[in-house]
Amino acid sequence: KPVVFYGTSITHGGCASRPGMAFVNIVGRELNVPVVNLGFSGSGVMEYEMSEHLAKIDASCYVLDCLWNMGHTKEQPRKGRNVDQNYEKFIRSLRAKRPNVPIIMAEQCDVFMKGPNAKDRYIKALYNKLLSEGWTNLYYLSKDKMYSNSVEGTVDGCHPNDLGMVSLAT
């Protein structure tokens, strides 16, 4: 069964030199597992309907990596695209349809490592809430486990180039 990644242009591999250099594909090769890359440039915003589409894929694991495309109501409002409006409804829908499949909640990768932002803090609190409700097979990936390179691993401080993709994958 494939590992399904849902995210942004970073997930998509928008600035990798070729498709095989997207971090999703590198992870697939390293783990010797099939992957499904559902990275959407500017459009990975966790609409409820997307949870229904993801759940149709018989996955071994879901990786949710949408924070770059989302805002936060208090700090960076983006109508219909806010983490505090979409994330919980999305993840609950996905879990209801695929109750035993592991889900990984990823913070917003950040080459500058300035610590958690409002979106990261929101999903960390949600993660803890879900665990306290008894959820299992739920994992949290903090940004300090992602980019290990300087800005040289990106084309613009955000989108990883090949060097940044390798850093994200490892």
Side-chain angles (χ1 to χ4, degrees), residues 38-165:
L38 297 174
F40 301 99
S41 181
S43 298
V45 295
M46 302 184 96
E47 301 101 327
Y48 178 83
E49 296 79 8
M50 276 303 294
S51 69
E52 295 174 336
H53 293 294
L54 262 67
K56 289 178 183 175
I57 303 169
D58 188 15
S60 63
C61 176
Y62 296 101
V63 180
L64 307 178
D65 188 20
C66 293
L67 296 186
W68 271 111
N69 288 165
M70 302 178 81
H72 188 280
T73 301
K74 292 179 183 173
E75 292 188 7
Q76 182 191 24
R78 301 176 95 181
K79 187 174 175 126
R81 303 165 65 93
N82 290 328
V83 66
D84 49 328
Q85 294 168 336
N86 294 5
Y87 205 113
E88 185 169 359
K89 189 163 72 168
F90 180 97
I91 198 169
R92 286 185 183 279
S93 171
L94 184 58
R95 176 49 52 99
K97 291 169 180 60
R98 295 288 182 175
N100 300 313
V101 178
I103 300 173
I104 298 172
M105 302 168 69
E107 282 186 358
Q108 180 174 313
C109 60
D110 186 352
V111 72
F112 300 107
M113 297 292 185
K114 293 182 181 173
N117 61 31
K119 296 179 281 186
D120 299 330
R121 289 188 297 275
Y122 174 84
I123 69 163
K124 181 66 174 189
L126 176 59
Y127 170 78
N128 289 327
K129 174 183 170 181
L130 297 172
L131 289 179
S132 73
E133 292 176 9
W135 283 40
T136 58
N137 287 326
L138 185 66
Y139 304 92
Y140 191 83
L141 180 61
S142 68
K143 66 177 65 183
D144 65 343
K145 305 247 188 287
M146 295 184 208
Y147 279 131
S148 59
N149 294 319
S150 70
V151 74
E152 296 302 317
T154 73
V155 297
D156 57 3
C158 169
H159 294 90
N161 55 27
D162 290 355
L163 179 64
M165 290 289 181

Side-chain angles (χ1 to χ4, degrees), residues 3-15:
V3 175
V4 176
F5 290 80
Y6 172 52
T8 67
S9 55
I10 294 168
T11 305
H12 169 78
C15 292

